[in-house]
Amino acid sequence: MKYYSTNHQAPMADLHKAVVKGLAEDRGLYMPEEIYRLPKAFFDDMPKMRFQDIAYNVASQFFGDDVDLDCLQDLVYDTLKFDCPVVKVKENIYSLELFHGPTLAFKDVGARFMARLLQYFLRQGSVGCDGNAPNGMVNVLVATSGDTGSAVANGFLGVEGIHVYVLYPKGKVSPIQECQFTTLGQNITAVEVDGVFDDCQRLVKTAFMDEELNRHMMLTSANSINVARFLPQAFYYFNACARLMQEMGDAANEIVMCVPSGNFGNICAALFGHAMGMPVKRFIAANNANDVFYNYLQTGRYEPKPSKQTLANAMDVGDPSNFARIIDLYSESGKLTAEETHQRITSLISGATYSDEKIKETMRKCYAETGYILDPHGACGYRALEEQLQPGEVGVFCETAHPAKFKEKVDEILGIDVEIPERLAAFMRGEKQSVAMPNDFEAFKKYLLEQ
Ligand SMILES: *Cc1c(COP(=O)(O)O)cnc(C)c1O
């Protein structure tokens, strides 16, 4: 499979390059040249299939040309060691719980898949998926304000041939988040920068451009726009459809998939699934007060703005990166006009935007009526379904994080004491280890050169 850039000014890339580079030379996002529809026989069998086997079928459409199929199967099975169950919250509304991975967030799926795919490419030239020592080390640099760092660190934990440096702003991430990437050890190094998130990001970006550093070590990013991180997110949507079809039969004919969105990677993966024939009738993109996409749906104009801080902070995005992928997908790579594209998008996707007040109100109402504990991100999805679901439709919203990850907020809003899952408690008992770093590129470079 070849990958082209959404800006159309860069050469086509193969999968290896798209994964290692992340972003194309023209700063565009990589798109697969073909999106193959899965055969009818697959959809007929799907309700009887296991999550891992469904995912392998989906993965082979995208990665089957480039990755040995046995290795790809290993890779998918290794990524999906945890379940993403569909849980009934109330009549016709289901929660797709994406928080059963190591860091209790859906980003665990893409991070693990990307780690294993990078490892596969490293080992190529040796002997396949159980090959010998890798022929070089890859160093992943990631700047985090909290969530991405933990998912990437845990996804790459123990993956041979890859070392991860997580840069985070000292005193600016929550203790629960911090322990998820500072207590791991092995091939994960936490770098505690004396600065804010933007300083961490600047150190990482400067490192990627530094010639001496790049001669000394192979550097790559694990950014969420990477094709290896976003495409695997399609797996759990197919599985959700399968589980509903299994449970409800024909009543699952009109599934509405509702995705709480920030950078729009997660919903973009769902839309790729739809293009492969996934039986979903329509989609809802649920937003917090950051309403750029919502406004695009209403007006046809895309006007990025600075992000606003909200309760659902993993969705505080004012210029979603994957918007470019959605436009490219529905404009047939620029063949359709902006108006035609907008029309196609609005016929499939509707929007919603909620203030912090409405998020709180929704969490309280859902808890009182059903006993289900929503986190602030999932609350946007739940509410959008409550408001927009039509008779005969079955709604599924992604619960994108475990409520314990936002324990202080959730406890306060609901007046309860959310139980901390054992996985998270184990992180909190671990010993914190980090490298103190001044907010200075020369110091960071010197440190990396010594590794
Ligand atoms: C990353 C994240 C989101 C937003 O996902 P996008 O792919 O950026 O749209 C929503 N909720 C949680 C909890 C997240 O961590």
Side-chain angles (χ1 to χ4, degrees), residues 50 70 90 102 119 141 168 170 179 190 198 202 233 250 269 286 298 309 338 345 356 368 378 402 423:
R50 290 189 307 165
D70 287 338
K90 67 178 210 184
Q119 186 188 36
L141 301 184
Y168 71 103
K170 181 177 177 174
C179 69
D198 290 337
R202 190 177 44 77
Q233 294 170 2
D250 286 348
Q298 313 310 310
Q309 275 193 10
I345 291 175
D356 280 358
H402 192 292
R423 262 193 321 292

Side-chain angles (χ1 to χ4, degrees), residues 16 66 68 71 118-136:
H16 185 160
D66 299 285
D68 172 83
C71 294
L118 258 184
Q119 186 188 36
Y120 171 81
F121 286 130
L122 271 175
R123 284 174 171 178
Q124 266 196 335
S126 55
V127 269
C129 54
D130 292 309
N132 309 324
N135 47 21

Side-chain angles (χ1 to χ4, degrees), residues 105-107 147 233 260-267 314-315 317 322 375 377 400-401 406:
F106 74 84
K107 293 184 179 70
D147 263 13
Q233 294 170 2
S261 296
N263 249 329
F264 282 70
N266 201 11
I267 195 169
M315 307 184 340
V317 180
N322 285 289
D375 97 295
H377 305 80
T400 49
F406 301 91

Side-chain angles (χ1 to χ4, degrees), residues 15-268:
L15 179 63
H16 185 160
K17 180 177 170 187
V19 173
V20 173
K21 286 274 159 217
L23 210 58
E25 290 88 341
D26 61 1
R27 318 293 300 161
L29 276 62
Y30 283 118
M31 290 283 281
E33 195 180 20
E34 304 271 357
I35 300 177
Y36 300 115
R37 283 184 84 84
L38 282 151
K40 181 174 178 302
F42 166 77
F43 290 108
D44 290 344
D45 285 347
M46 201 171 75
K48 296 192 291 283
M49 289 167 71
R50 290 189 307 165
F51 184 17
Q52 287 89 342
D53 296 324
I54 292 172
Y56 170 65
N57 273 276
V58 176
S60 50
Q61 302 294 308
F62 287 113
F63 307 118
D65 295 345
D66 299 285
V67 181
D68 172 83
L69 289 180
D70 287 338
C71 294
L72 185 62
Q73 190 163 16
D74 266 9
L75 227 147
V76 168
Y77 280 51
D78 178 71
T79 300
L80 302 177
K81 282 200 187 120
F82 52 90
D83 197 14
C84 298
V86 181
V87 173
K88 183 168 182 173
V89 177
K90 67 178 210 184
E91 208 49 44
N92 292 329
I93 297 191
Y94 291 77
S95 170
L96 170 53
E97 292 187 346
L98 301 179
F99 55 67
H100 296 276
T103 78
L104 316 181
F106 74 84
K107 293 184 179 70
D108 288 327
V109 172
R112 183 71 181 167
F113 189 87
M114 178 180 169
R116 290 297 314 269
L117 191 61
L118 258 184
Q119 186 188 36
Y120 171 81
F121 286 130
L122 271 175
R123 284 174 171 178
Q124 266 196 335
S126 55
V127 269
C129 54
D130 292 309
N132 309 324
N135 47 21
M137 267 307 260
V138 173
N139 298 277
V140 172
L141 301 184
V142 56
T144 187
S145 54
D147 263 13
T148 303
S150 47
V152 169
N154 282 274
F156 283 77
L157 181 65
V159 176
E160 254 172 75
I162 304 180
H163 198 100
V164 177
Y165 298 90
V166 180
L167 283 76
Y168 71 103
K170 181 177 177 174
K172 306 252 172 6
V173 304
S174 79
I176 289 186
Q177 288 173 327
E178 189 175 9
C179 69
Q180 289 182 94
F181 54 79
T182 56
T183 58
L184 300 168
Q186 297 185 54
N187 59 332
I188 311 298
T189 303
V191 180
E192 187 173 22
V193 176
D194 196 1
V196 295
F197 170 66
D198 290 337
D199 297 320
C200 300
Q201 206 158 33
R202 190 177 44 77
L203 290 179
V204 167
K205 283 189 177 160
T206 315
F208 287 135
M209 291 183 309
D210 189 279
E211 275 182 35
E212 188 186 357
L213 207 49
N214 280 276
R215 272 198 307 275
H216 176 74
M217 62 207 301
M218 184 174 170
L219 295 176
T220 188
S221 82
N223 201 293
S224 65
I225 47 92
N226 198 295
V227 288
R229 269 195 66 192
F230 106 90
L231 281 175
Q233 294 170 2
F235 301 162
Y236 42 69
Y237 291 105
F238 281 88
N239 185 56
C241 292
R243 301 292 74 90
L244 284 176
M245 288 154 80
Q246 190 180 25
E247 184 182 319
M248 308 173 77
D250 286 348
N253 276 348
E254 301 203 354
I255 295 174
V256 178
M257 198 62 85
C258 180
V259 187
S261 296
N263 249 329
F264 282 70
N266 201 11
I267 195 169
C268 200

